[in-house]
Amino acid sequence: MSSRSALPAACGILAAALGTAAAHLVAALTSPASSPVLAVGSQVIDATPTPVKQWAVGTFGTADKPILIGSVAVVSLLLAALAGTVRPRSRLASTLLLLLLTGLAGAAAVLRPTADDLAWLPALVAAVIGVLTLDLLVARVLPSGSAHADPTHPTRRRVVALGGTGAAALAIGGSGQALVARSAPPTLTLPRPTRPLPALPKGVDVGTSGISPFVTANADFYRIDTALLAPRVDPGEWSLTIDGDVPREVTMDIDELLATPMVERDITLNCVSNEVGGPYIGHARWLGVPTRELLARAGLDTDPRDPDLQVLSTSTDGMTISTPLSALLDDRDALVAVGMNGAPLPREHGFPARLVTPGLYGFVGATKWLTRMTVTRYDAASAYWTDRDWATDGRVRTQARIDTPRALRRIPPGRTVIGGVAWAQRRGIERVDVRVDDGEWRRATLGTEAGVDCWRQWFLPWDATPGRHDLTVRATDGTGEVQTRQEATPFPSGATGWHSIAVTVTD
């Protein structure tokens, strides 16, 4: 960009930044999800092809959302720079470009499934402030209204105009973000379970440094979802409706749900996007109501074997997930959960209520911010991930992962420990075997089993000799089935293969 066009471009960028900051502040006061960058980012997520989504999760992990937001902001500012560049030659063209930019943001906000009556307001604020600010900046920075003004001369007028606009954008945008971040999160007083679980059995943690803790702290629990901003749900306005092909429709508010007898269950959850050896898995003690008891209120008190029946569950942000009806009515401990590790669900993990279905990946059994459960057939309604060609039956694969030593690390020779976790929800883990290089498989020691829906720690002492070594692990589930060696990507029904890492033992 030439020096003569840099100054008008800066005017466009700062005008758009101020408009967007003001819109973010207005959104914080009305509907945070309608903030222009968030609204556009959410629509981009919905429109992104499945392979690209999977690549983003695999490449960026939990940083995919900040990177997406940053990318939307950069593209928006580049278009704003273009609007500023053409402003000295055509006020109409620059205005139309800014209106197009804010109009797209407004359309994205209005088209969201959870858009409210004021979803359009932040985009309108961005448009008005952006256009007016660009006019004022051009008048201040290019007094002649001509591109021939010397762009290299840092006059006081220019410094004050540009610097003041930038400072205002930062202050206003920061105020909006502070409102979003500092608003007191709603909470609940959890009831005591009618059937509390005893303490975890001794030995579930084998005491080996470097192995993932058996219980994952709420703050460390993985988060993979499509929400750029976790919904802020007021429990006083929340309700759960069970409808569809049921003898009677049921709706309950939060007080009615909390008054229902609660149970505790230890359940490991994992995401279908997890690569072999990946981090998107965690274990928690959940507090909730068994789904079969809630569905019984709607008149469903048997275990249907029709594989075409599903429960289409809906989140407060419009996300839909399809779960086989049989999985919510059989003898597994599927829950509508309100508590996680002794505390109310964190907002990022589904407050005030979510679905937890043992043995199924989250994309078919772990709806967050749950508000509706519709009993229907798969050919009558399809869910978000089904529309994107993911499998409808997301049964968790048998997997084992090496946590220690870490891949590509240099370790000293001598006695060390290879260790990690293994899981096969609904089937349990019977054994774990480890191989060093091309040697014999050696049976690892397992931690105490806490239940078939829980992962298990394992470890194997190893006399490490100098050189580079490949360490490989495989698990055998409770049915006697050995984890497959065949490699498959997470799409469409979960990754498979043996986890293998390389380490170097120093001399």
Side-chain angles (χ1 to χ4, degrees), residues 45 52-68 222-228 271 273-275 278-280:
I45 287 177
V52 177
K53 273 192 178 116
Q54 188 58 39
W55 172 83
V57 172
T59 303
F60 304 118
T62 54
D64 60 338
K65 292 180 178 66
I67 290 173
L68 173 61
Y222 77 93
R223 179 194 170 194
I224 298 291
D225 53 53
T226 63
L228 288 179
C271 180
S273 295
N274 214 21
E275 299 282 354
Y280 305 135

PDB file of all heavy atoms in Angstrom, residues 45 52-68 222-228 271 273-275 278-280:
ATOM      1  N   ILE A  45     -19.126 -20.649  11.027  1.00  0.00           N
ATOM      2  CA  ILE A  45     -19.037 -22.008  11.561  1.00  0.00           C
ATOM      3  C   ILE A  45     -20.092 -22.897  10.929  1.00  0.00           C
ATOM      4  O   ILE A  45     -19.814 -24.024  10.488  1.00  0.00           O
ATOM      5  CB  ILE A  45     -19.201 -21.989  13.092  1.00  0.00           C
ATOM      6  CG1 ILE A  45     -17.951 -21.412  13.753  1.00  0.00           C
ATOM      7  CG2 ILE A  45     -19.464 -23.402  13.626  1.00  0.00           C
ATOM      8  CD1 ILE A  45     -18.065 -21.284  15.254  1.00  0.00           C
ATOM      9  N   VAL A  52     -13.201 -29.063   6.631  1.00  0.00           N
ATOM     10  CA  VAL A  52     -12.499 -27.866   7.089  1.00  0.00           C
ATOM     11  C   VAL A  52     -12.644 -27.719   8.596  1.00  0.00           C
ATOM     12  O   VAL A  52     -11.692 -27.365   9.301  1.00  0.00           O
ATOM     13  CB  VAL A  52     -13.033 -26.611   6.362  1.00  0.00           C
ATOM     14  CG1 VAL A  52     -12.347 -25.349   6.888  1.00  0.00           C
ATOM     15  CG2 VAL A  52     -12.826 -26.738   4.866  1.00  0.00           C
ATOM     16  N   LYS A  53     -13.852 -27.999   9.108  1.00  0.00           N
ATOM     17  CA  LYS A  53     -14.061 -27.950  10.560  1.00  0.00           C
ATOM     18  C   LYS A  53     -13.127 -28.925  11.264  1.00  0.00           C
ATOM     19  O   LYS A  53     -12.497 -28.589  12.267  1.00  0.00           O
ATOM     20  CB  LYS A  53     -15.511 -28.331  10.882  1.00  0.00           C
ATOM     21  CG  LYS A  53     -16.489 -27.165  10.848  1.00  0.00           C
ATOM     22  CD  LYS A  53     -17.799 -27.625  11.472  1.00  0.00           C
ATOM     23  CE  LYS A  53     -18.773 -26.459  11.488  1.00  0.00           C
ATOM     24  NZ  LYS A  53     -19.936 -26.642  10.693  1.00  0.00           N
ATOM     25  N   GLN A  54     -13.080 -30.152  10.748  1.00  0.00           N
ATOM     26  CA  GLN A  54     -12.250 -31.161  11.386  1.00  0.00           C
ATOM     27  C   GLN A  54     -10.780 -30.775  11.327  1.00  0.00           C
ATOM     28  O   GLN A  54     -10.025 -30.985  12.282  1.00  0.00           O
ATOM     29  CB  GLN A  54     -12.465 -32.520  10.707  1.00  0.00           C
ATOM     30  CG  GLN A  54     -11.793 -33.683  11.405  1.00  0.00           C
ATOM     31  CD  GLN A  54     -12.243 -33.834  12.840  1.00  0.00           C
ATOM     32  OE1 GLN A  54     -13.407 -33.659  13.160  1.00  0.00           O
ATOM     33  NE2 GLN A  54     -11.310 -34.139  13.727  1.00  0.00           N
ATOM     34  N   TRP A  55     -10.360 -30.185  10.205  1.00  0.00           N
ATOM     35  CA  TRP A  55      -8.978 -29.716  10.092  1.00  0.00           C
ATOM     36  C   TRP A  55      -8.701 -28.636  11.119  1.00  0.00           C
ATOM     37  O   TRP A  55      -7.639 -28.620  11.760  1.00  0.00           O
ATOM     38  CB  TRP A  55      -8.733 -29.175   8.678  1.00  0.00           C
ATOM     39  CG  TRP A  55      -7.397 -28.494   8.545  1.00  0.00           C
ATOM     40  CD1 TRP A  55      -6.189 -29.064   8.312  1.00  0.00           C
ATOM     41  CD2 TRP A  55      -7.148 -27.089   8.671  1.00  0.00           C
ATOM     42  NE1 TRP A  55      -5.196 -28.111   8.279  1.00  0.00           N
ATOM     43  CE2 TRP A  55      -5.760 -26.891   8.499  1.00  0.00           C
ATOM     44  CE3 TRP A  55      -7.963 -25.983   8.910  1.00  0.00           C
ATOM     45  CZ2 TRP A  55      -5.176 -25.626   8.560  1.00  0.00           C
ATOM     46  CZ3 TRP A  55      -7.388 -24.723   8.973  1.00  0.00           C
ATOM     47  CH2 TRP A  55      -6.013 -24.549   8.796  1.00  0.00           C
ATOM     48  N   ALA A  56      -9.624 -27.711  11.323  1.00  0.00           N
ATOM     49  CA  ALA A  56      -9.428 -26.619  12.272  1.00  0.00           C
ATOM     50  C   ALA A  56      -9.287 -27.140  13.696  1.00  0.00           C
ATOM     51  O   ALA A  56      -8.404 -26.726  14.448  1.00  0.00           O
ATOM     52  CB  ALA A  56     -10.578 -25.622  12.182  1.00  0.00           C
ATOM     53  N   VAL A  57     -10.160 -28.095  14.080  1.00  0.00           N
ATOM     54  CA  VAL A  57     -10.082 -28.654  15.421  1.00  0.00           C
ATOM     55  C   VAL A  57      -8.778 -29.424  15.598  1.00  0.00           C
ATOM     56  O   VAL A  57      -8.097 -29.320  16.615  1.00  0.00           O
ATOM     57  CB  VAL A  57     -11.298 -29.560  15.709  1.00  0.00           C
ATOM     58  CG1 VAL A  57     -11.115 -30.302  17.027  1.00  0.00           C
ATOM     59  CG2 VAL A  57     -12.581 -28.739  15.747  1.00  0.00           C
ATOM     60  N   GLY A  58      -8.414 -30.210  14.574  1.00  0.00           N
ATOM     61  CA  GLY A  58      -7.189 -30.987  14.662  1.00  0.00           C
ATOM     62  C   GLY A  58      -5.942 -30.134  14.683  1.00  0.00           C
ATOM     63  O   GLY A  58      -4.945 -30.481  15.314  1.00  0.00           O
ATOM     64  N   THR A  59      -5.984 -28.991  13.977  1.00  0.00           N
ATOM     65  CA  THR A  59      -4.813 -28.121  13.871  1.00  0.00           C
ATOM     66  C   THR A  59      -4.701 -27.151  15.033  1.00  0.00           C
ATOM     67  O   THR A  59      -3.622 -26.960  15.607  1.00  0.00           O
ATOM     68  CB  THR A  59      -4.863 -27.332  12.556  1.00  0.00           C
ATOM     69  OG1 THR A  59      -4.948 -28.251  11.461  1.00  0.00           O
ATOM     70  CG2 THR A  59      -3.626 -26.466  12.400  1.00  0.00           C
ATOM     71  N   PHE A  60      -5.815 -26.514  15.393  1.00  0.00           N
ATOM     72  CA  PHE A  60      -5.783 -25.455  16.386  1.00  0.00           C
ATOM     73  C   PHE A  60      -6.327 -25.871  17.747  1.00  0.00           C
ATOM     74  O   PHE A  60      -6.164 -25.152  18.722  1.00  0.00           O
ATOM     75  CB  PHE A  60      -6.574 -24.236  15.886  1.00  0.00           C
ATOM     76  CG  PHE A  60      -6.101 -23.715  14.564  1.00  0.00           C
ATOM     77  CD1 PHE A  60      -6.945 -23.719  13.460  1.00  0.00           C
ATOM     78  CD2 PHE A  60      -4.816 -23.239  14.412  1.00  0.00           C
ATOM     79  CE1 PHE A  60      -6.516 -23.248  12.229  1.00  0.00           C
ATOM     80  CE2 PHE A  60      -4.374 -22.757  13.195  1.00  0.00           C
ATOM     81  CZ  PHE A  60      -5.218 -22.765  12.100  1.00  0.00           C
ATOM     82  N   GLY A  61      -7.000 -27.024  17.815  1.00  0.00           N
ATOM     83  CA  GLY A  61      -7.548 -27.484  19.087  1.00  0.00           C
ATOM     84  C   GLY A  61      -8.545 -26.492  19.649  1.00  0.00           C
ATOM     85  O   GLY A  61      -9.367 -25.925  18.941  1.00  0.00           O
ATOM     86  N   THR A  62      -8.462 -26.247  20.974  1.00  0.00           N
ATOM     87  CA  THR A  62      -9.407 -25.343  21.617  1.00  0.00           C
ATOM     88  C   THR A  62      -9.140 -23.887  21.279  1.00  0.00           C
ATOM     89  O   THR A  62      -9.902 -23.015  21.703  1.00  0.00           O
ATOM     90  CB  THR A  62      -9.364 -25.531  23.142  1.00  0.00           C
ATOM     91  OG1 THR A  62      -8.012 -25.376  23.595  1.00  0.00           O
ATOM     92  CG2 THR A  62      -9.849 -26.922  23.520  1.00  0.00           C
ATOM     93  N   ALA A  63      -8.087 -23.594  20.516  1.00  0.00           N
ATOM     94  CA  ALA A  63      -7.835 -22.216  20.061  1.00  0.00           C
ATOM     95  C   ALA A  63      -8.572 -21.909  18.770  1.00  0.00           C
ATOM     96  O   ALA A  63      -8.418 -20.807  18.225  1.00  0.00           O
ATOM     97  CB  ALA A  63      -6.332 -21.995  19.876  1.00  0.00           C
ATOM     98  N   ASP A  64      -9.380 -22.852  18.274  1.00  0.00           N
ATOM     99  CA  ASP A  64     -10.033 -22.620  16.985  1.00  0.00           C
ATOM    100  C   ASP A  64     -11.005 -21.444  17.029  1.00  0.00           C
ATOM    101  O   ASP A  64     -11.118 -20.680  16.063  1.00  0.00           O
ATOM    102  CB  ASP A  64     -10.751 -23.883  16.498  1.00  0.00           C
ATOM    103  CG  ASP A  64     -11.831 -24.365  17.463  1.00  0.00           C
ATOM    104  OD1 ASP A  64     -11.760 -24.012  18.665  1.00  0.00           O
ATOM    105  OD2 ASP A  64     -12.732 -25.108  17.025  1.00  0.00           O
ATOM    106  N   LYS A  65     -11.680 -21.244  18.161  1.00  0.00           N
ATOM    107  CA  LYS A  65     -12.648 -20.148  18.256  1.00  0.00           C
ATOM    108  C   LYS A  65     -11.953 -18.782  18.258  1.00  0.00           C
ATOM    109  O   LYS A  65     -12.345 -17.893  17.496  1.00  0.00           O
ATOM    110  CB  LYS A  65     -13.536 -20.323  19.485  1.00  0.00           C
ATOM    111  CG  LYS A  65     -14.484 -21.514  19.382  1.00  0.00           C
ATOM    112  CD  LYS A  65     -15.340 -21.617  20.630  1.00  0.00           C
ATOM    113  CE  LYS A  65     -16.324 -22.777  20.514  1.00  0.00           C
ATOM    114  NZ  LYS A  65     -15.646 -24.080  20.492  1.00  0.00           N
ATOM    115  N   PRO A  66     -10.938 -18.548  19.106  1.00  0.00           N
ATOM    116  CA  PRO A  66     -10.238 -17.260  19.022  1.00  0.00           C
ATOM    117  C   PRO A  66      -9.627 -16.989  17.657  1.00  0.00           C
ATOM    118  O   PRO A  66      -9.635 -15.846  17.180  1.00  0.00           O
ATOM    119  CB  PRO A  66      -9.155 -17.379  20.102  1.00  0.00           C
ATOM    120  CG  PRO A  66      -9.684 -18.383  21.064  1.00  0.00           C
ATOM    121  CD  PRO A  66     -10.462 -19.357  20.242  1.00  0.00           C
ATOM    122  N   ILE A  67      -9.127 -18.033  17.006  1.00  0.00           N
ATOM    123  CA  ILE A  67      -8.546 -17.843  15.680  1.00  0.00           C
ATOM    124  C   ILE A  67      -9.625 -17.466  14.675  1.00  0.00           C
ATOM    125  O   ILE A  67      -9.428 -16.584  13.821  1.00  0.00           O
ATOM    126  CB  ILE A  67      -7.787 -19.112  15.238  1.00  0.00           C
ATOM    127  CG1 ILE A  67      -6.514 -19.261  16.077  1.00  0.00           C
ATOM    128  CG2 ILE A  67      -7.459 -19.070  13.753  1.00  0.00           C
ATOM    129  CD1 ILE A  67      -5.778 -20.557  15.852  1.00  0.00           C
ATOM    130  N   LEU A  68     -10.798 -18.091  14.771  1.00  0.00           N
ATOM    131  CA  LEU A  68     -11.896 -17.737  13.880  1.00  0.00           C
ATOM    132  C   LEU A  68     -12.333 -16.293  14.098  1.00  0.00           C
ATOM    133  O   LEU A  68     -12.506 -15.532  13.149  1.00  0.00           O
ATOM    134  CB  LEU A  68     -13.081 -18.679  14.095  1.00  0.00           C
ATOM    135  CG  LEU A  68     -14.366 -18.314  13.347  1.00  0.00           C
ATOM    136  CD1 LEU A  68     -14.141 -18.330  11.843  1.00  0.00           C
ATOM    137  CD2 LEU A  68     -15.506 -19.243  13.724  1.00  0.00           C
ATOM    138  N   TYR A 222     -12.236 -30.679  28.768  1.00  0.00           N
ATOM    139  CA  TYR A 222     -12.197 -30.222  27.378  1.00  0.00           C
ATOM    140  C   TYR A 222     -13.511 -29.552  26.990  1.00  0.00           C
ATOM    141  O   TYR A 222     -14.581 -29.875  27.507  1.00  0.00           O
ATOM    142  CB  TYR A 222     -11.910 -31.393  26.428  1.00  0.00           C
ATOM    143  CG  TYR A 222     -13.092 -32.300  26.171  1.00  0.00           C
ATOM    144  CD1 TYR A 222     -13.929 -32.080  25.088  1.00  0.00           C
ATOM    145  CD2 TYR A 222     -13.384 -33.373  27.000  1.00  0.00           C
ATOM    146  CE1 TYR A 222     -15.025 -32.907  24.839  1.00  0.00           C
ATOM    147  CE2 TYR A 222     -14.464 -34.198  26.771  1.00  0.00           C
ATOM    148  CZ  TYR A 222     -15.284 -33.960  25.687  1.00  0.00           C
ATOM    149  OH  TYR A 222     -16.372 -34.765  25.447  1.00  0.00           O
ATOM    150  N   ARG A 223     -13.424 -28.605  26.059  1.00  0.00           N
ATOM    151  CA  ARG A 223     -14.629 -27.973  25.536  1.00  0.00           C
ATOM    152  C   ARG A 223     -14.533 -27.925  24.021  1.00  0.00           C
ATOM    153  O   ARG A 223     -13.683 -27.240  23.457  1.00  0.00           O
ATOM    154  CB  ARG A 223     -14.804 -26.554  26.078  1.00  0.00           C
ATOM    155  CG  ARG A 223     -16.070 -25.886  25.506  1.00  0.00           C
ATOM    156  CD  ARG A 223     -16.124 -24.393  25.740  1.00  0.00           C
ATOM    157  NE  ARG A 223     -17.220 -23.821  24.962  1.00  0.00           N
ATOM    158  CZ  ARG A 223     -17.365 -22.529  24.730  1.00  0.00           C
ATOM    159  NH1 ARG A 223     -16.483 -21.657  25.204  1.00  0.00           N
ATOM    160  NH2 ARG A 223     -18.377 -22.090  23.994  1.00  0.00           N
ATOM    161  N   ILE A 224     -15.404 -28.654  23.358  1.00  0.00           N
ATOM    162  CA  ILE A 224     -15.535 -28.623  21.903  1.00  0.00           C
ATOM    163  C   ILE A 224     -17.016 -28.416  21.593  1.00  0.00           C
ATOM    164  O   ILE A 224     -17.842 -29.269  21.893  1.00  0.00           O
ATOM    165  CB  ILE A 224     -15.039 -29.924  21.237  1.00  0.00           C
ATOM    166  CG1 ILE A 224     -13.537 -30.125  21.511  1.00  0.00           C
ATOM    167  CG2 ILE A 224     -15.293 -29.879  19.733  1.00  0.00           C
ATOM    168  CD1 ILE A 224     -12.627 -29.142  20.823  1.00  0.00           C
ATOM    169  N   ASP A 225     -17.360 -27.271  21.020  1.00  0.00           N
ATOM    170  CA  ASP A 225     -18.736 -27.008  20.593  1.00  0.00           C
ATOM    171  C   ASP A 225     -18.694 -25.900  19.547  1.00  0.00           C
ATOM    172  O   ASP A 225     -17.611 -25.424  19.183  1.00  0.00           O
ATOM    173  CB  ASP A 225     -19.640 -26.620  21.778  1.00  0.00           C
ATOM    174  CG  ASP A 225     -19.075 -25.479  22.606  1.00  0.00           C
ATOM    175  OD1 ASP A 225     -18.748 -24.430  22.028  1.00  0.00           O
ATOM    176  OD2 ASP A 225     -18.971 -25.627  23.834  1.00  0.00           O
ATOM    177  N   THR A 226     -19.843 -25.508  19.053  1.00  0.00           N
ATOM    178  CA  THR A 226     -19.896 -24.500  17.988  1.00  0.00           C
ATOM    179  C   THR A 226     -20.213 -23.112  18.521  1.00  0.00           C
ATOM    180  O   THR A 226     -20.318 -22.172  17.729  1.00  0.00           O
ATOM    181  CB  THR A 226     -20.969 -24.878  16.945  1.00  0.00           C
ATOM    182  OG1 THR A 226     -22.255 -24.881  17.572  1.00  0.00           O
ATOM    183  CG2 THR A 226     -20.685 -26.247  16.338  1.00  0.00           C
ATOM    184  N   ALA A 227     -20.372 -22.951  19.832  1.00  0.00           N
ATOM    185  CA  ALA A 227     -20.764 -21.663  20.397  1.00  0.00           C
ATOM    186  C   ALA A 227     -19.541 -20.774  20.584  1.00  0.00           C
ATOM    187  O   ALA A 227     -18.662 -21.090  21.393  1.00  0.00           O
ATOM    188  CB  ALA A 227     -21.479 -21.863  21.729  1.00  0.00           C
ATOM    189  N   LEU A 228     -19.476 -19.656  19.832  1.00  0.00           N
ATOM    190  CA  LEU A 228     -18.375 -18.717  20.026  1.00  0.00           C
ATOM    191  C   LEU A 228     -18.474 -18.049  21.389  1.00  0.00           C
ATOM    192  O   LEU A 228     -17.463 -17.693  21.985  1.00  0.00           O
ATOM    193  CB  LEU A 228     -18.384 -17.656  18.922  1.00  0.00           C
ATOM    194  CG  LEU A 228     -17.951 -18.129  17.534  1.00  0.00           C
ATOM    195  CD1 LEU A 228     -18.033 -16.997  16.529  1.00  0.00           C
ATOM    196  CD2 LEU A 228     -16.537 -18.690  17.571  1.00  0.00           C
ATOM    197  N   CYS A 271     -14.949 -36.555  22.913  1.00  0.00           N
ATOM    198  CA  CYS A 271     -15.420 -35.928  21.682  1.00  0.00           C
ATOM    199  C   CYS A 271     -15.025 -36.774  20.481  1.00  0.00           C
ATOM    200  O   CYS A 271     -13.908 -37.308  20.424  1.00  0.00           O
ATOM    201  CB  CYS A 271     -14.824 -34.524  21.551  1.00  0.00           C
ATOM    202  SG  CYS A 271     -15.324 -33.638  20.054  1.00  0.00           S
ATOM    203  N   SER A 273     -14.207 -35.715  17.719  1.00  0.00           N
ATOM    204  CA  SER A 273     -13.108 -35.051  17.007  1.00  0.00           C
ATOM    205  C   SER A 273     -11.739 -35.447  17.526  1.00  0.00           C
ATOM    206  O   SER A 273     -10.722 -35.044  16.960  1.00  0.00           O
ATOM    207  CB  SER A 273     -13.261 -33.532  17.102  1.00  0.00           C
ATOM    208  OG  SER A 273     -14.429 -33.095  16.436  1.00  0.00           O
ATOM    209  N   ASN A 274     -11.695 -36.211  18.593  1.00  0.00           N
ATOM    210  CA  ASN A 274     -10.421 -36.609  19.187  1.00  0.00           C
ATOM    211  C   ASN A 274      -9.641 -37.515  18.250  1.00  0.00           C
ATOM    212  O   ASN A 274     -10.124 -38.575  17.836  1.00  0.00           O
ATOM    213  CB  ASN A 274     -10.676 -37.346  20.501  1.00  0.00           C
ATOM    214  CG  ASN A 274      -9.616 -37.092  21.540  1.00  0.00           C
ATOM    215  OD1 ASN A 274      -8.898 -36.107  21.476  1.00  0.00           O
ATOM    216  ND2 ASN A 274      -9.522 -37.986  22.507  1.00  0.00           N
ATOM    217  N   GLU A 275      -8.434 -37.101  17.925  1.00  0.00           N
ATOM    218  CA  GLU A 275      -7.525 -37.989  17.195  1.00  0.00           C
ATOM    219  C   GLU A 275      -7.031 -39.073  18.149  1.00  0.00           C
ATOM    220  O   GLU A 275      -7.161 -38.962  19.370  1.00  0.00           O
ATOM    221  CB  GLU A 275      -6.330 -37.196  16.654  1.00  0.00           C
ATOM    222  CG  GLU A 275      -6.682 -36.090  15.681  1.00  0.00           C
ATOM    223  CD  GLU A 275      -6.988 -36.592  14.278  1.00  0.00           C
ATOM    224  OE1 GLU A 275      -6.810 -37.809  14.042  1.00  0.00           O
ATOM    225  OE2 GLU A 275      -7.385 -35.775  13.423  1.00  0.00           O
ATOM    226  N   GLY A 278      -5.466 -38.162  21.444  1.00  0.00           N
ATOM    227  CA  GLY A 278      -5.806 -36.760  21.620  1.00  0.00           C
ATOM    228  C   GLY A 278      -6.310 -36.407  23.006  1.00  0.00           C
ATOM    229  O   GLY A 278      -6.578 -37.272  23.839  1.00  0.00           O
ATOM    230  N   PRO A 279      -6.516 -35.080  23.272  1.00  0.00           N
ATOM    231  CA  PRO A 279      -6.838 -34.608  24.627  1.00  0.00           C
ATOM    232  C   PRO A 279      -8.317 -34.423  24.917  1.00  0.00           C
ATOM    233  O   PRO A 279      -8.666 -34.065  26.041  1.00  0.00           O
ATOM    234  CB  PRO A 279      -6.127 -33.247  24.670  1.00  0.00           C
ATOM    235  CG  PRO A 279      -6.262 -32.740  23.251  1.00  0.00           C
ATOM    236  CD  PRO A 279      -6.171 -33.961  22.363  1.00  0.00           C
ATOM    237  N   TYR A 280      -9.197 -34.632  23.933  1.00  0.00           N
ATOM    238  CA  TYR A 280     -10.595 -34.258  24.130  1.00  0.00           C
ATOM    239  C   TYR A 280     -11.392 -35.359  24.821  1.00  0.00           C
ATOM    240  O   TYR A 280     -12.301 -35.967  24.272  1.00  0.00           O
ATOM    241  CB  TYR A 280     -11.227 -33.877  22.792  1.00  0.00           C
ATOM    242  CG  TYR A 280     -10.452 -32.801  22.076  1.00  0.00           C
ATOM    243  CD1 TYR A 280     -10.169 -32.901  20.720  1.00  0.00           C
ATOM    244  CD2 TYR A 280      -9.975 -31.693  22.777  1.00  0.00           C
ATOM    245  CE1 TYR A 280      -9.443 -31.922  20.077  1.00  0.00           C
ATOM    246  CE2 TYR A 280      -9.242 -30.718  22.136  1.00  0.00           C
ATOM    247  CZ  TYR A 280      -8.974 -30.840  20.786  1.00  0.00           C
ATOM    248  OH  TYR A 280      -8.253 -29.872  20.150  1.00  0.00           O
TER     249      TYR A 280
END
